[in-house]
């Protein structure tokens, strides 16, 4: 009996060939999945890096700010309703016309609106305001929200490529926005209060014609 008990204990210490093969197969599958995830992350990183460093030369045109805002409202209407967010317009100067690359400005504003939506996630009575006004220095377009806000100490860091305050996202959004504004001869400014919200202002200077070069790329 003693010998039988010893043999049974020894048997429990060693795994069968089938068990080892199953575990090895599982390890191999996990390793492949890890490599795939790292490969996808690297490809995504390279793609985002190229978008950050090589931007199309602006192809400027004249268009109305009201029409631009109206399209953005229609684009986000259903998504905003589902998220319980209200988007409002504040046009202090009706009939305002701006000269800029329409496609690039669309991307800038879509990026800023999505940032605001992220900041409003899970927040009651979320509100996003699109505003446009004429200043002495030019035309200002702003996107403001009453979201979670950003710590004052982080306001400069948000322009560092690949820095992000969110758990999701690549952290290149505001870097791209600032570079696109520079290509237009303009600038952007951001103000925020933790727990109160954030406002991003885009200023397009008077009498400035961005360099035309449709289809070309410029190193930003």
């Amino acid at each position: 009996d003693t010998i039988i008990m010893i043999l049974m204990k020894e048997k429990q210490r060693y795994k069968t060939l089938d068990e080892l093969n199953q575990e090895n197969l599982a390890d191999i599958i996990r390793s492949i999945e890890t490599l795939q995830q790292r490969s996808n992350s690297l490809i995504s990183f390279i793609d985002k890096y190229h978008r950050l460093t090589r931007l199309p030369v602006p192809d400027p045109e004249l268009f109305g700010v009201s029409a631009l805002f109206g399209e953005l409202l229609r684009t986000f209407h259903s998504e905003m309703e589902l998220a319980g967010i209200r988007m409002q317009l504040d046009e202090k100067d009706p009939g305002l016309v701006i000269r800029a690359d329409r496609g690039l400005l669309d991307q800038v504003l879509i990026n800023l609106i999505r940032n605001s939506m992220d900041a409003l996630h899970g927040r009651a009575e979320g509100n996003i305001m699109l505003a446009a006004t004429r200043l002495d220095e030019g035309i200002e377009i702003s996107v403001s929200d009453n979201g979670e806000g950003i710590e004052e100490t982080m306001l400069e860091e948000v322009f560092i490529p690949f820095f992000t305050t969110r758990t999701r996202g690549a952290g290149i959004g505001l870097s791209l926005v600032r570079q696109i504004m520079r290509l237009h001869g303009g600038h952007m400014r951001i103000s925020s209060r933790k727990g109160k919200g954030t406002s991003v202002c885009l200023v397009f200077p008077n009498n400035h014609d961005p360099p035309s070069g449709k289809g070309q790329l410029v190193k930003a």
Side-chain angles (χ1 to χ4, degrees), residues 145 147-152 155 190-200:
D145 64 67
E148 60 186 353
I150 304 169
E151 294 282 1
E152 188 176 350
L155 283 179
I190 180 171
S191 59
S192 186
R193 289 180 61 194
K194 191 65 178 175
K196 298 294 184 181
T198 301
S199 180
V200 179

Side-chain angles (χ1 to χ4, degrees), residues 68-140:
L68 174 67
F69 282 3
E71 286 186 15
L72 289 168
L73 277 176
R74 288 189 291 273
T75 298
F76 284 97
H77 176 72
S78 298
E79 202 171 344
M80 293 281 185
E81 275 199 342
L82 286 173
I85 298 171
R86 182 174 60 169
M87 187 156 72
Q88 297 176 290
L89 303 184
D90 180 12
E91 295 183 72
K92 296 180 176 64
D93 299 288
L96 201 60
V97 174
I98 192 170
R99 184 172 179 80
D101 186 303
R102 179 66 178 267
L104 286 177
L105 185 52
D106 276 344
Q107 291 307 308
V108 164
L109 293 174
I110 287 171
N111 189 300
L112 294 178
I113 290 169
R114 292 213 171 277
N115 282 353
S116 289
M117 291 180 71
D118 285 341
L120 291 166
H121 181 71
R123 200 175 185 91
E125 298 183 357
N127 186 67
I128 296 174
M129 178 72 73
L130 292 181
T133 188
R134 187 181 297 279
L135 307 175
D136 291 338
E137 58 182 312
I139 295 171
E140 180 186 84

Side-chain angles (χ1 to χ4, degrees), residues 40-53 162:
N40 290 339
S41 296
L42 180 60
I43 291 170
S44 177
F45 175 88
I46 292 170
D47 176 61
K48 290 178 175 104
Y49 178 80
H50 279 297
R51 284 194 285 117
L52 178 66
T53 57
F162 305 107

Side-chain angles (χ1 to χ4, degrees), residues 57-72:
V57 175
D59 184 34
E61 60 179 301
L62 287 171
F63 55 89
V65 175
S66 292
L68 174 67
F69 282 3
E71 286 186 15
L72 289 168

